[in-house]
Amino acid sequence: MTDAAGLLAGKVMLVTGASSGIGAAAARVAARNGAALVLMARRLPRLEELAEGLRAEGAEVACAGGDVTSSDDVERAVRLAVDRYGRLDAAFNNAGTTTEPALLHETDDADFDTVLDVNLRGVWLCLKHQIGAMLATGTGGAIVNNSSIAGVRATSAGAPYVAAKHAVLGLTKTAAAQYAAHGIRVNALATGLTRSEMSEGVFARDPAAEERMRRRNPQGRVADPEEVAQAAVWLCSDQASFVTGATMAVDGGAGAW
Ligand SMILES: NC(=O)c1ccc[n+]([C@@H]2O[C@H](COP(=O)([O-])OP(=O)(O)OC[C@H]3O[C@@H](n4cnc5c(N)ncnc54)[C@H](OP(=O)(O)O)[C@@H]3O)[C@@H](O)[C@H]2O)c1
C-alpha cells in the first residue's frame, strides 16, 4: 500500500499496543511517514525487534515496555518522548484486550475488570499523561483512540468490551472539547474486524466466526492492520487539522448497514 509522502514528517508519535497487530502496523506506517516514535507494550522484546527493523530503514524509534493500566508506566512512556525528542506531537492509543465473550449474566467479574482496565482506564491514563505533556510544551497535538465498531453498537465481543469501547468515545469527545483551544485534536477509530492476534484468537475459539463476519461485511473481508493504521496516521497528521471529536469508521462498510 502506498503512503502519501511524509504525512508525519518532523512529528513525534507514541503508539501503544505496538508489539503486534494494528499497533505494529501503525508504527510501520508512521515511520514510513517520517515520525520519530515511542512504542509501548508489555512485550518489550517484540517492540525491540520491530524497532530494530524500523531503525534499519532510517526511523528514530525508542521503546517503552509497560502496561497501559499503570499510571507510572504510561507517564514513563510519555516522558521518554519528551526527554528523547523534546515533545509529543501525536499518539495512537491502541492497546486493547478481550476475553472469552459470554452472555452478560454469565460474564466473570474478573473479565469485566480486565477489559475495562485495559480498554478504558488504559486509554484514560494515556490521554491524561499525553495531554499533560502537550500542554506543558504548548505545542498542541493530535491523539487517536482505537475504539471499535463495538464502540457504536453491540457486537458478539461481549458486554464489557462493548461498554469499554463506547466509553472510549465519551473520553474522546470530552477531551476534544476541553483541549481544542490548546491546539490538541482527539479522534477515535470505529475499527471493524481486522487480522491480528486478537481476531485470530476469536477465530480459534469459533472457527465459523470468520466466515460469518465476512458475510456480514459489505466488502466481504477482514481488514489488513495497515488499512487501520493508515487512518490513524492521517488523523494524526496536519491534513486532519479541522477534524476533532470525530469517530471515523474503518470497517469496510460494516457499520453502514
Ligand atoms: N482486530 C480487530 O478485529 C479489532 C477490531 C476493532 C478494534 N480493535 C482494537 O484494536 C486494538 C489493537 O488490537 P489488535 O487487533 O491489533 O490486537 P493484538 O494484535 O492482540 O494487539 C493488542 C496490543 O495491545 C497490547 N496490550 C494489551 N494489553 C496491554 C496492556 N495492559 N498494556 C500495554 N499494552 C497492552 C498488546 O501488547 P502486549 O501483549 O505486548 O502488552 C498488543 O500489542 C485494540 O484496542 C482492539 O480492541 C481490534
Side-chain angles (χ1 to χ4, degrees):
M1 183 172 294
T2 53
D3 295 300
L7 274 182
L8 299 180
K11 291 196 188 292
V12 178
M13 182 174 180
L14 169 61
V15 178
T16 74
S19 60
S20 65
I22 296 167
R28 288 192 293 270
V29 174
R32 287 207 301 267
N33 277 282
L37 291 168
V38 173
L39 308 181
M40 182 181 182
R42 291 165 304 177
R43 288 171 292 176
L44 186 58
R46 294 277 290 264
L47 293 182
E48 295 287 8
E49 192 184 329
L50 174 61
E52 207 174 299
L54 297 177
R55 286 186 200 115
E57 292 164 13
E60 284 189 86
V61 188
C63 298
D67 190 321
V68 292
T69 67
S70 156
S71 191
D72 288 349
D73 286 2
V74 175
E75 188 178 20
R76 201 159 34 81
V78 171
R79 206 174 332 111
L80 179 60
V82 175
D83 290 349
R84 172 90 48 120
Y85 306 117
R87 64 190 189 285
L88 180 71
D89 300 306
F92 183 35
N93 296 326
N94 161 79
T97 195
T98 187
T99 53
E100 182 95 41
L103 289 173
L104 191 149
H105 77 285
E106 292 171 346
T107 300
D108 280 350
D109 296 351
D111 283 356
F112 179 88
D113 291 344
T114 299
V115 170
L116 270 287
D117 239 24
V118 177
N119 294 0
L120 176 56
R121 188 168 189 274
V123 173
W124 175 68
L125 288 173
C126 285
L127 285 167
K128 182 175 169 171
H129 291 296
Q130 291 157 1
I131 289 169
M134 288 170 179
L135 292 174
T137 52
T139 44
I143 300 173
V144 177
N145 299 320
N146 200 359
S147 176
S148 168
I149 199 162
V152 292
R153 62 173 169 77
T155 73
S156 57
Y161 187 86
V162 170
K165 291 298 187 179
H166 272 71
V168 165
L169 301 186
L171 289 179
T172 302
K173 290 171 194 171
T174 307
Q178 289 186 347
Y179 300 103
H182 296 272
I184 299 171
R185 297 183 296 102
V186 187
N187 292 292
L189 299 181
T191 302
L193 190 63
T194 305
R195 193 158 303 285
S196 71
E197 287 182 9
M198 185 180 284
S199 59
E200 293 303 336
V202 172
F203 301 153
R205 286 194 297 264
D206 176 5
E210 179 166 3
E211 185 49 32
R212 214 171 44 239
M213 289 172 178
R214 277 179 195 277
R215 263 191 273 113
R216 246 189 263 143
N217 188 296
Q219 289 197 357
R221 65 183 180 90
V222 176
D224 182 278
E226 285 225 0
E227 293 178 284
V228 181
Q230 293 280 355
V233 163
W234 181 79
L235 282 169
C236 283
S237 79
D238 292 341
Q239 292 202 352
S241 53
F242 203 52
V243 184
T244 196
T247 301
M248 180 190 280
V250 186
D251 64 1
W257 69 335

